[in-house]
Amino acid sequence: MADLLTATPATAVPSPPRRTRRRWRNTLIGWSFILPNFLGFAVLTLIPVIAALVLSFMDWDSYNAPEWVGLKNFQRLLDDESTKIALRNTAYYALGHVPLTVLAALGLALLLNRKIAGVGFFRAAAFFPYITSMVAVAIVWNMLFNPEVGPVNQFLHFIGIDDAPGWTTSTTWAMPAVILTSVWRDMGYYMILFLAGLQAIPTEHYEAAKMDGANNWQRFRNVTLPGLRPVTFLVLILLTVQSFKVFDLIVVMTDGGPGRATLVLSQQIYRQGIVEGEFGYASAISLVLFALVLVLTLTQFWFNNRRERS
Amino acid sequence: MKSPFRLAGRVLLYVVLIVAAVAILVPFCWMISASLKRNNEVLSIPVQWIPKDFRWKNFSDIWTQIPMGTYLRNTVFLSAVITFLQVLTGSFAAYGFAKLRFPGRDALFFAYVATIAVPWQAYMIPQYIMMQKAGLTNTFWSLILLQAFGAFGVFLMRQYYLTIPEELSEAARVDGLSEYGIWARIILPLSKPALASLGLLTFVNTWNDYMGPFIYLTSNDLWTIQLGLRSFVGQFDADYAMMMTGSVLSVLPILLIFLVGQRYFIQGIATSGMKG
């Protein structure tokens, strides 16, 4: 394998010591390329990932020395009402955010996957919310959702809904408001992934289906959806991971409130770890977050494999 | 001849598209419209989309109400430095992963990919402790170090390098160019679209980042525009017009970058998301 690396005259058959030397040289060159990035990556990502694991079994606050306590942090987690609420809210958010974003993104991609005038503008418009900052998004949507004078409720009144919800000021409606905002923001990103997936489906498949007399719906059902399966799988995984990490939007839009109605896991980690300085306990919560993401991802892999086989 | 059905379908499609575009863009229109109003006109009933008289003064007033200049300068500085480092070290490392063969390479690359899947929240506590012990919290160093060596850049660049034919570098080797020379003189010039994608995505992400500065920067004179904007909301709770003016100012640079580099955003997302 190493022979591919450096050019040697084709006639020269390297003797064993020279070959070892060249192997070394190749390894050195390889590492020299990776090192500048790897040093930063190892110290600031790889080590912290491992440290988080260890820390979750320790008692450590910013003042005292760390102490091994076994599963104590995890026990505490089971008794902690706000952590349980955060867990429930995170699941609620994911259950709303994932399916709605998939539907919206797929719908947009299907609409915009054709050669029509102005398609570039429409695609750009759908994507633009995604690169707008969370802070600006949250401030604007908070005003749009204003219960008395916000445009959303004015519109609802206009179409005849008189008892419009209080959105971010109501414990029942705060989470739906957050979910709606996040779907609006994220759908453009996933639309791009779906568009790439749609363009990868060979046109012959559609032509063949047309020859067989399949109507629009049948073509969508039997050509488009199966063709999109790999992208859909990827989108579902990315969205699930993203939902479980939600932080910025919540912090700026509701700060977990009203009460604890939108408190999520990442925010609980932040509060316990960085605000309260309970490093061990916060690490235990982050381990739970990571384990959940891992289990959900693996389950999706498993479903995907089974479906592909059948 | 187009059948009337197809024509009707086309008209319907445009109606649907325009309604969708309006629905998506309404929050931006609202933001711009409110930034040009008097405060007491912002939340009037019914909504007035075009201000009675355009109040451009908001855009000059905001600089004296909050240290907007400092925030913008800090944000530009951080975004530029982080983007430069991320693109430089990322493309350099990607060359090692895509074009060189040496023992341990694949295991190392696996470590990179695996950590992309670990949510940042899962290891932000140890990172924070390290930064605190090193005395780097509340300095730009913490954010630069944390964001400049991301695994994402390495991954995205490697995906692109794999599409560059091996024969090119092979020919250069025969001509006696060193591996560093091949990277600098052949691969880099060929990967301009990928460099642009990575650069733009990193720049925009850093510009918009809230959580990083929120955790690490406590002094007001180090704040980025996102922190400034957020605190503005707390301080001047009812000054809606100013809030929207600040939001417009924070989004405007991104809009300009987006209009110039749209193609690269799309490409970057399609490459990094799809060919994993």
Side-chain angles (χ1 to χ4, degrees):
Chain A
M1 287 218 294
D3 301 332
L4 288 172
L5 197 62
T6 43
T8 43
T11 46
V13 180
S15 56
R18 261 188 74 189
R19 215 148 117 190
T20 334
R21 216 167 49 220
R22 216 174 55 198
R23 236 179 102 90
W24 262 106
R25 217 177 77 91
N26 290 345
T27 308
L28 273 180
I29 295 178
W31 270 97
S32 74
F33 271 97
I34 292 164
L35 211 61
N37 189 281
F38 184 74
L39 269 183
F41 168 75
V43 173
L44 296 158
T45 305
L46 217 50
I47 294 177
V49 168
I50 299 161
L53 201 85
V54 179
L55 264 180
S56 59
F57 297 100
M58 291 177 135
D59 228 350
W60 192 12
D61 53 42
S62 15
Y63 312 104
N64 299 307
E67 183 196 346
W68 188 268
V69 292
L71 291 172
K72 198 190 110 188
N73 288 324
F74 294 93
Q75 255 156 6
R76 174 171 168 194
L77 196 145
L78 291 174
D79 301 326
D80 187 342
E81 195 58 31
S82 27
T83 303
K84 277 194 280 192
I85 289 175
L87 185 62
R88 218 165 28 230
N89 286 342
T90 309
Y92 179 9
Y93 174 81
L95 280 173
H97 181 238
V98 177
L100 286 177
T101 311
V102 169
L103 283 179
L106 182 59
L108 281 172
L110 290 170
L111 275 177
L112 294 174
N113 184 37
R114 44 190 102 205
K115 292 192 184 68
I116 47 168
V119 74
F121 165 77
F122 290 115
R123 286 183 190 171
F127 179 67
F128 189 60
Y130 183 74
I131 54 163
T132 313
S133 82
M134 262 323 173
V135 181
V137 165
I139 297 176
V140 172
W141 277 92
N142 265 347
M143 281 167 80
L144 296 178
F145 276 130
N146 184 302
E148 287 97 41
V149 287
V152 172
N153 277 2
Q154 282 195 48
F155 176 75
L156 291 178
H157 284 301
F158 177 73
I159 59 169
I161 298 170
D162 286 329
D163 51 344
W167 301 112
T168 50
T169 56
S170 132
T171 45
T172 329
W173 288 98
M175 193 57 103
V178 169
I179 291 173
L180 277 176
T181 309
S182 70
V183 172
W184 170 81
R185 183 175 190 265
D186 293 336
M187 60 192 181
Y189 181 88
Y190 296 97
M191 169 195 78
I192 291 176
L193 294 184
F194 276 126
L195 274 174
L198 285 171
Q199 275 152 18
I201 301 175
T203 41
E204 296 89 61
H205 291 189
Y206 286 104
E207 278 153 22
K210 234 179 185 168
M211 298 270 265
D212 294 342
N215 63 26
N216 274 337
W217 168 248
Q218 284 165 331
R219 268 177 289 171
F220 174 70
R221 189 80 211 1
N222 298 313
V223 182
T224 311
L225 277 187
L228 279 180
R229 196 164 288 161
V231 192
T232 314
F233 172 62
L234 176 84
V235 166
L236 281 176
I237 290 199
L238 290 176
L239 267 172
T240 313
V241 175
Q242 199 206 355
S243 300
F244 273 78
K245 304 199 291 195
V246 61
F247 182 84
D248 294 19
L249 182 66
I250 300 268
V251 168
V252 189
M253 221 174 146
T254 61
D255 198 20
R260 292 184 285 199
T262 55
L263 178 72
V264 283
L265 278 178
S266 324
Q267 206 184 358
Q268 180 70 353
I269 298 171
Y270 167 77
R271 284 187 182 175
Q272 296 299 327
I274 290 164
V275 180
E276 306 285 333
E278 297 252 23
F279 299 144
Y281 181 49
S283 296
I285 305 174
S286 49
L287 206 65
V288 169
L289 172 70
F290 178 46
L292 278 171
V293 169
L294 199 66
V295 167
L296 286 169
T297 311
L298 292 178
T299 318
Q300 279 165 337
F301 262 103
W302 182 74
F303 265 114
N304 189 54
N305 282 345
R306 222 177 54 157
R307 212 168 41 181
E308 257 170 21
R309 250 185 267 126
S310 61
Chain B
M1 269 296 277
K2 277 187 178 170
S3 71
F5 276 119
R6 281 199 56 179
L7 190 70
R10 190 120 291 204
V11 170
L12 186 71
L13 174 71
Y14 271 101
V15 171
V16 172
L17 281 178
I18 290 168
V19 170
V22 168
I24 292 170
L25 294 178
V26 149
F28 293 110
C29 303
W30 161 269
M31 184 167 94
I32 294 167
S33 143
S35 74
L36 292 167
K37 289 179 185 167
R38 267 171 209 292
N39 187 39
N40 55 18
E41 290 168 353
V42 173
L43 289 172
S44 61
I45 301 180
V47 179
Q48 195 178 12
W49 288 97
I50 297 166
K52 249 187 243 124
D53 46 357
F54 288 78
R55 199 177 149 83
W56 297 103
K57 204 168 158 293
N58 287 345
F59 282 89
S60 55
D61 283 355
I62 194 163
W63 301 82
T64 50
Q65 292 225 11
I66 50 170
M68 197 71 176
T70 313
Y71 297 155
L72 275 175
R73 212 168 34 242
N74 290 340
T75 319
V76 170
F77 173 77
L78 272 176
S79 307
V81 171
I82 288 170
T83 304
F84 176 75
L85 284 172
Q86 169 96 251
V87 171
L88 182 76
T89 68
S91 66
F92 200 57
Y95 184 82
F97 284 124
K99 297 285 177 195
L100 299 176
R101 287 164 198 275
F102 56 93
R105 183 192 72 169
D106 296 335
L108 219 59
F109 187 67
F110 179 76
Y112 271 84
V113 176
T115 54
I116 295 183
V118 181
W120 180 51
Q121 282 79 354
Y123 53 93
M124 73 178 184
I125 301 292
Q127 272 183 341
Y128 184 79
I129 300 172
M130 283 169 76
M131 288 295 169
Q132 204 182 37
K133 298 283 174 217
L136 295 177
T137 45
N138 202 24
T139 68
F140 284 152
W141 281 108
S142 52
L143 290 178
I144 293 174
L145 287 171
L146 287 181
Q147 292 172 5
F149 304 102
F152 175 73
V154 179
F155 181 71
L156 187 128
M157 291 310 295
R158 177 184 172 269
Q159 297 301 91
Y160 192 83
Y161 286 172
L162 289 178
T163 65
I164 300 176
E166 199 56 41
E167 289 80 34
L168 277 175
S169 9
E170 210 48 60
R173 276 175 203 135
V174 173
D175 289 346
L177 212 56
S178 74
E179 295 299 326
Y180 308 104
I182 298 175
W183 173 74
R185 285 159 64 181
I186 294 177
I187 303 290
L188 271 195
L190 280 176
S191 52
K192 270 182 203 147
L195 291 171
S197 294
L198 176 61
L200 289 174
L201 284 169
T202 314
F203 191 90
V204 169
N205 278 341
T206 321
W207 184 284
N208 286 339
D209 183 25
Y210 177 69
M211 196 169 178
F214 175 66
I215 291 175
Y216 283 99
L217 304 177
T218 39
S219 338
N220 194 317
D221 57 329
L222 295 181
W223 279 3
T224 61
I225 183 136
Q226 308 302 341
L227 287 178
L229 200 58
R230 173 67 209 278
S231 81
F232 188 67
V233 174
Q235 271 175 52
F236 304 91
D237 208 9
D239 202 341
Y240 300 117
M242 269 301 153
M243 269 160 27
M244 290 300 105
T245 308
S247 304
V248 170
L249 281 176
S250 81
V251 172
L252 210 56
I254 298 303
L255 176 65
L256 294 178
I257 290 174
F258 177 63
L259 290 179
V260 177
Q262 230 197 87
R263 191 159 67 90
Y264 299 108
F265 280 103
I266 310 278
Q267 265 174 16
I269 287 163
T271 328
S272 58
M274 294 296 299
K275 294 171 194 158

